[in-house]
Amino acid sequence: LKEDLPQTSSACIKSDSHCCCPIVSMGPAVTAWRDSLEEAWRTTGLTSVPPPEMSSNECGSPKQFVAVSVAGLRCGPNVLAWRRPCGGYTMPGGKLDEDDANILQCASRETREECNINIDPTDWEVLGTSTWTVPGKMFVLVLCATSLASYPTSFDAESLGMEVLDLFSPFKALSGNESLFELMRDKSREDAVQKGA
């Protein structure tokens, strides 16, 4: 089990006010943990996007940092999302590995592993970032988005629980993902306006 991140899982561990849904590992990958937010951000390979800012209550507490790809796979007003057993939705994705050249390659790898969808790393657009903190660790969430003409008719075994979610329907986002879903809604509105122009 990938022990910390509430991104993709079939299990759920509740603790106080946080929900920790571990990811099932697909292999012996080495996660790219770093000792500072700046070092973790450098692993993303992003130079034109600023890193997220730490809130005052996050400063001083995290000891390890890791970049996480969040794959925004949009088709019209819909997006692929996991419904966590502990409540709330999150998009596919996962922690950046030492073997990943950058966060875009990480997003492509995770999308292939979790959704059986092949996306070229150059086809992603970084829409924004967010953070999620557990004691001693901070996850730097990077929303990598792309638009698809259609979704696959079936997913692989790791994709059980994947849903086509209407971005404009009422739903609860998992902690740390609220702003990322809002960015996906903004992108959907922007594209609709451009198509109507």
Side-chain angles (χ1 to χ4, degrees), residues 106-186:
C106 174
S108 292
R109 174 179 56 76
E110 291 288 348
T111 300
R112 184 174 57 254
E113 291 174 359
E114 296 181 357
C115 308
N116 199 28
I117 299 174
N118 292 312
I119 304 291
D120 190 280
T122 61
D123 289 336
W124 295 110
E125 177 185 4
V126 175
L127 296 186
T129 62
S130 179
T131 60
W132 192 80
T133 306
V134 297
K137 295 178 181 178
M138 174 180 278
F139 303 95
V140 183
L141 311 181
V142 181
L143 176 57
C144 305
T146 194
S147 182
L148 304 175
S150 63
Y151 291 127
T153 55
S154 63
F155 299 102
D156 64 14
E158 193 180 342
S159 301
L160 296 176
M162 187 77 71
E163 297 180 23
V164 175
L165 181 65
D166 182 343
L167 283 164
F168 298 96
S169 66
F171 64 88
K172 178 184 175 185
L174 204 62
S175 179
N177 288 263
E178 301 90 345
S179 64
L180 303 183
F181 277 109
E182 188 57 40
L183 287 167
M184 291 298 290
R185 280 189 283 272
D186 290 345

